[in-house]
């Protein structure tokens, strides 16, 4: 499936629908790494300092962000991409039907459905995460966003 993902998802990323933009994302791409993210951040700050007396840089760490991706929202965003139906259907099947139970004092809880999270370490995890984050944009004019996600420790 990784080969199909590379052929179908990554080429879709450069020309997504207007609602989804991947230009601020510097990770989980064939040429992505921390280096272009840092260069982009420094370039943005330098350009802002030319016209502004001060610039505030905020860095946010969304630990466990893979665990918060709602499957329904992700599937809506994937449906906007130009994916073959078979790939979309496979992704729908992949994200559906997961359950969880907890063992406490030797007794298992009942199984509950999981409707959120991307399985870290899976071949499709990085690509689906950037699709999910593609519509995160600054809402205030003049603000800039540089996104870098990494699923390693």
């Amino acid at each position: 499936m990784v080969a199909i993902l590379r052929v179908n998802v990554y080429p879709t990323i450069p020309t997504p629908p207007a609602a989804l933009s991947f230009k601020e994302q510097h990770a989980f791409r064939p040429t992505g790494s921390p280096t272009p993210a840092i260069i982009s951040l420094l370039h943005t700050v330098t350009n802002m300092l030319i016209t502004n007396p001060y610039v505030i840089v905020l860095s946010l760490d969304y630990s466990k962000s893979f665990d918060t991706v709602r499957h329904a929202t992700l599937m809506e965003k994937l449906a906007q991409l130009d994916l073959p139906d078979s790939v979309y259907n496979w992704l729908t099947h992949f994200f559906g039907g997961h359950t969880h139970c907890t063992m406490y004092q030797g007794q298992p809880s009942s199984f509950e459905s999981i409707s959120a999270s991307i399985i870290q370490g899976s071949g499709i995890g990085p690509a689906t995460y950037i699709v999910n984050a593609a519509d995160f944009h600054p809402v205030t004019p003049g603000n800039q966003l540089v996104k870098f996600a990494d699923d390693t420790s």
Side-chain angles (χ1 to χ4, degrees), residues 74-83 88:
L74 175 62
M75 298 318 297
E76 288 174 12
K77 293 175 184 180
L78 287 169
Q80 295 177 42
L81 300 178
D82 187 23
L83 294 174
Y88 178 83

Side-chain angles (χ1 to χ4, degrees), residues 18-145:
L20 300 176
S21 172
F22 300 100
K23 67 181 181 175
E24 302 105 356
Q25 178 58 262
H26 295 280
F28 302 140
R29 297 189 73 156
T31 59
S33 75
T35 303
I38 293 168
I39 291 169
S40 177
L41 178 63
L42 290 174
H43 177 74
T44 300
V45 169
T46 303
N47 284 340
M48 292 177 92
L49 283 170
I50 292 170
T51 58
N52 297 303
Y54 62 90
V55 174
I56 297 172
V57 177
L58 299 176
S59 175
L60 304 175
D61 179 9
Y62 292 101
S63 296
K64 305 291 183 189
S65 58
F66 273 50
D67 297 336
T68 63
V69 174
R70 291 180 46 226
H71 295 162
T73 303
L74 175 62
M75 298 318 297
E76 288 174 12
K77 293 175 184 180
L78 287 169
Q80 295 177 42
L81 300 178
D82 187 23
L83 294 174
D85 290 343
S86 59
V87 173
Y88 178 83
N89 292 339
W90 186 91
L91 289 167
T92 301
H93 185 265
F94 178 82
F95 285 107
H98 295 275
T99 58
H100 174 79
C101 76
T102 301
M103 183 75 73
Y104 179 72
Q105 294 183 346
Q107 298 295 318
S109 66
S110 60
F111 284 89
E112 294 294 329
S113 294
I114 297 173
S115 60
S117 83
I118 295 175
I119 300 170
Q120 291 185 357
S122 66
I124 63 170
T128 52
Y129 185 80
I130 65 168
V131 168
N132 185 66
D135 62 352
F136 298 166
H137 305 291
V139 293
T140 304
N143 287 348
Q144 299 291 320
L145 184 63

Side-chain angles (χ1 to χ4, degrees), residues 4-14 81 83 87 91 127 131:
I4 291 173
L5 183 69
R6 289 177 193 232
V7 171
N8 291 302
V9 175
Y10 280 125
T12 305
I13 290 173
L81 300 178
L83 294 174
V87 173
L91 289 167
V131 168

